[in-house]
Amino acid sequence: MNKSGFIYGAIILATVNFIVRIIGFSYKIILSKLIGPEGIGLFQMVFPVLMFFITFTTAGIPIAVSKLVAKQNSIGNSYGAKKVFKVAFLFTFIIAVFFSLLIIFLGKNICAIILKNNDIYFSVLLTAPAVLIISLSSVMRGYFYGLKRISPAGIAQIIEQLTRIIFVLGIIYYLYPVNPKLGSIIAVVGISVGELFGLAWLVFHYRLLSRSTHSNAKRQVKYRTIISKISYIAVPITISRVISVLMQLANAVLIPQRLMIAGYSNKEAISIFGRVVGMSMPIIFLPFIVTSALVINIIPNLSEEMELKNYSLIKTNIALSMRITLLISIPLTLLYVFFSNPLAMFFYGDKAVGEYIGILGYSTIFISLQHTLSGILHGMGKQISATVNYLIGMSIQLFTTYFLVGNPAFGINGFFLGFILSTFTICLLNYMTLNHTIQIKIKIFDYIFKPIFASILSIFTILTAYKYLTNINTKSYISFFICLISGGVTYFLALIITKGLPQHFIKILYSFKR
């Protein structure tokens, strides 16, 4: 593999992620306007339940399938690759059915005991089919990633998003106006509908691929061996993701409850929760469009290079991943901090969301680096260290959420404080772990100061243009796009002038032929 070969796949995935995120982000904006903050809050209380159950099947198993299929494919054993997929598919199907039945039988207890909100019972119940469909889709995507056929999996995600939007918005528009409770139920059903269409596309493409390829059995692979290898790769990653989802679930339970202790009504508490988690967080997590693509590609790449003891290439790829993460997260951090109100008003027409984005924006650099560094540690076999680091950081967040959110002097600001502290802590611990494992030379001036300088110029351009366009009464959506485009161009030009972009990354962009 060449110097930064994994970046090719990352660019493709980043493009797909961008399209999917834009579609999904637009959907959430429209949905929030149709069912309101309370409806979004109810939906977000259900979402961690779904995430908890699908984590057991979608966190580690698809990655294991991808790595094992790639290994079989690399030696020309298409029969072995297909056998790995079939075993994983059946294994996942059994686990997913079990969890779906668990949701059906324990739905009332989940609402009453854990979430303490009986209004979301039907929404929780309707996550059961989604667990099965999402699990099977994830395994199939892992199979295609292992074969380096990214397009089918990417198109499936786009199909899933589009069909979900058409179904949910179509039903809501037909029944409009809908109360928040019904709106959240429709949104949950839409998850299953969208995923079903995405799965149908993957199955269709799998059959086409099976007809066009001839199976050969260069090396027989035993079922027990396959399950053992899948478990060995998947279990540590799954444990880490389960902890993450448990933390999300804890926040979904704690934040509304602690806000009510602080003096807010149930409706106000759920609305604040909806604004923070359902409206502000999707904007804050936009850098994941790039970091997710980096992580998916760098995990198998680092595993392979570690086996070959190619430490020079490992250091190069790690440094490049961190540099790209900083190039994306630094300007977004300043944008969220200084341009939060226009962002919130444009997307949601809600000033409170702008205040939340402005505060959460300070965590953007840390949460982006945390994500990339976590993927690097997984690729280097340091899953346990990454999990421990995450657990320490999330403990800080839970502590502050419990003790500060319920204090009227802090309220929701207690959550913000904990969130920023936890992301900084995890980021720092991950970097220390990585540096202890393999020393990476970070060029501070190139990696940090040049992007900061370019970002400052970009934000100055945005704010100046926004002030001018506002004074001449330009339509808000035109002003918004002109400001962002002018800021983006300024940032890019400033990086070129200061040579802030990696030279070999630019060469990759020019020579990209995949």
Side-chain angles (χ1 to χ4, degrees):
M1 186 174 290
N2 58 28
K3 190 165 154 182
S4 302
F6 78 95
I7 294 296
Y8 283 108
I11 292 173
I12 296 174
L13 282 175
T15 303
V16 172
N17 286 345
F18 178 77
I19 295 171
V20 171
R21 289 290 181 107
I22 290 297
I23 295 173
F25 188 60
S26 302
Y27 163 67
K28 286 184 178 180
I29 292 170
I30 299 171
L31 184 65
S32 68
K33 292 180 179 180
L34 292 175
I35 66 177
E38 185 181 357
I40 292 292
L42 291 171
F43 176 71
Q44 288 299 146
M45 290 183 74
V46 174
F47 200 68
V49 176
L50 172 63
M51 292 302 297
F52 173 76
F53 285 104
I54 66 172
T55 295
F56 291 96
T57 53
T58 64
I61 295 178
I63 293 175
V65 170
S66 178
K67 293 176 72 173
L68 294 175
V69 167
K71 181 178 179 180
Q72 294 297 322
N73 193 53
S74 66
I75 60 175
N77 190 7
S78 59
Y79 173 81
K82 196 172 291 186
K83 190 172 183 180
V84 168
F85 164 69
K86 289 179 178 179
V87 171
F89 192 85
L90 179 61
F91 186 53
T92 302
F93 177 80
I94 294 170
I95 298 174
V97 168
F98 171 74
F99 283 124
S100 296
L101 293 174
L102 205 62
I103 291 173
I104 293 173
F105 290 117
L106 299 179
K108 288 185 177 179
N109 291 329
I110 292 172
C111 296
I113 299 173
I114 300 175
L115 300 176
K116 299 185 185 302
N117 192 322
N118 292 320
D119 289 340
I120 58 176
Y121 169 65
F122 287 107
S123 294
V124 169
L125 206 61
L126 290 168
T127 62
V131 169
L132 177 60
I133 301 169
I134 293 173
S135 300
L136 299 180
S137 295
S138 296
V139 175
M140 295 202 75
R141 282 198 294 269
Y143 175 68
F144 285 115
Y145 287 143
L147 295 176
K148 294 182 174 60
R149 294 177 178 268
I150 297 174
S151 297
I155 293 173
Q157 291 182 65
I158 296 173
I159 290 173
E160 180 270 320
Q161 288 280 9
L162 290 176
T163 50
R164 181 197 301 188
I165 291 172
I166 292 171
F167 173 82
V168 174
L169 299 186
I171 296 294
I172 290 178
Y173 271 118
Y174 179 76
L175 300 175
Y176 195 80
V178 297
N179 62 59
K181 181 179 176 181
L182 178 59
S184 66
I185 291 174
I186 296 171
V188 172
V189 174
I191 296 174
S192 295
V193 173
E195 290 288 346
L196 185 61
F197 276 87
L199 177 60
W201 164 258
L202 290 172
V203 171
F204 171 73
H205 204 86
Y206 172 77
R207 290 183 175 177
L208 286 180
L209 184 63
S210 297
R211 292 174 184 172
S212 62
T213 56
H214 299 285
S215 296
N216 54 72
K218 287 190 173 183
R219 185 184 300 173
Q220 292 291 336
V221 186
K222 295 181 180 180
Y223 289 106
R224 184 180 298 177
T225 302
I226 293 174
I227 294 176
S228 176
K229 289 183 176 180
I230 289 174
S231 300
Y232 178 77
I233 298 171
V235 169
I237 298 173
T238 300
I239 291 173
S240 179
R241 297 283 179 86
V242 167
I243 293 172
S244 175
V245 174
L246 284 174
M247 295 300 178
Q248 293 178 34
L249 183 60
N251 280 325
V253 175
L254 279 178
I255 292 175
Q257 290 180 7
R258 302 307 292 175
L259 284 173
M260 285 188 282
I261 291 175
Y264 294 91
S265 67
N266 181 61
K267 184 176 181 179
E268 289 173 332
I270 292 176
S271 295
I272 291 173
F273 178 74
R275 285 187 174 97
V276 173
V277 179
M279 299 164 78
S280 302
M281 286 296 192
I283 295 178
I284 299 300
F285 283 105
L286 278 179
F288 277 29
I289 292 173
V290 175
T291 58
S292 294
L294 287 172
V295 167
I296 289 173
N297 281 276
I298 203 170
I299 288 176
N301 174 263
L302 288 179
S303 299
E304 179 182 344
E305 299 303 332
M306 286 291 288
E307 187 69 25
L308 298 173
K309 302 186 185 301
N310 194 348
Y311 297 114
S312 176
L313 184 57
I314 289 171
K315 290 181 179 182
T316 299
N317 286 341
I318 290 174
L320 182 58
S321 297
M322 293 177 65
R323 190 171 184 179
I324 293 172
T325 302
L326 289 169
L327 284 171
I328 298 297
S329 61
I330 289 175
L332 284 177
T333 298
L334 295 184
L335 181 70
Y336 295 154
V337 172
F338 293 101
F339 203 62
S340 57
N341 285 331
L343 282 170
M345 291 304 296
F346 177 80
F347 289 119
Y348 302 112
D350 193 325
K351 289 184 178 180
V353 175
E355 181 183 346
Y356 300 158
I357 292 173
I359 299 172
L360 288 169
Y362 289 100
S363 68
T364 307
I365 292 178
F366 306 130
I367 201 169
S368 301
L369 278 174
Q370 166 198 324
H371 192 209
T372 300
L373 290 170
S374 176
I376 291 170
L377 291 176
H378 281 130
M380 299 184 72
K382 297 292 181 180
Q383 297 95 330
I384 295 176
S385 297
T387 301
V388 171
N389 295 343
Y390 185 84
L391 184 58
I392 292 171
M394 288 297 100
S395 298
I396 294 173
Q397 183 181 322
L398 280 181
F399 180 85
T400 53
T401 298
Y402 186 84
F403 288 102
L404 297 184
V405 175
N407 186 333
F410 287 92
I412 194 62
N413 290 323
F415 169 76
F416 296 148
L417 178 62
F419 186 80
I420 295 171
L421 284 175
S422 68
T423 53
F424 172 76
T425 302
I426 298 169
C427 178
L428 179 62
L429 291 174
N430 281 348
Y431 179 76
M432 291 171 63
T433 303
L434 175 63
N435 201 44
H436 180 74
T437 304
I438 182 170
Q439 292 187 350
I440 305 297
K441 292 182 179 179
I442 302 296
K443 299 178 181 178
I444 302 296
F445 190 73
D446 289 335
Y447 286 32
I448 298 177
F449 287 113
K450 286 181 180 180
I452 288 177
F453 173 73
S455 299
I456 292 173
L457 290 180
S458 175
I459 294 300
F460 178 78
T461 301
I462 290 173
L463 295 177
T464 302
Y466 185 75
K467 184 177 180 181
Y468 173 76
L469 293 171
T470 301
N471 288 337
I472 62 175
N473 296 320
T474 307
K475 290 184 178 180
S476 59
Y477 69 92
I478 296 177
S479 298
F480 183 81
F481 283 113
I482 290 176
C483 289
L484 289 186
I485 292 171
S486 61
V489 171
T490 301
Y491 180 68
F492 187 70
L493 290 176
L495 287 176
I496 292 177
I497 293 170
T498 61
K499 297 182 179 180
L501 289 174
Q503 291 185 0
H504 51 284
F505 180 65
I506 296 175
K507 290 179 182 177
I508 289 172
L509 291 177
Y510 276 112
S511 63
F512 186 78
K513 295 179 181 180
R514 279 193 173 185

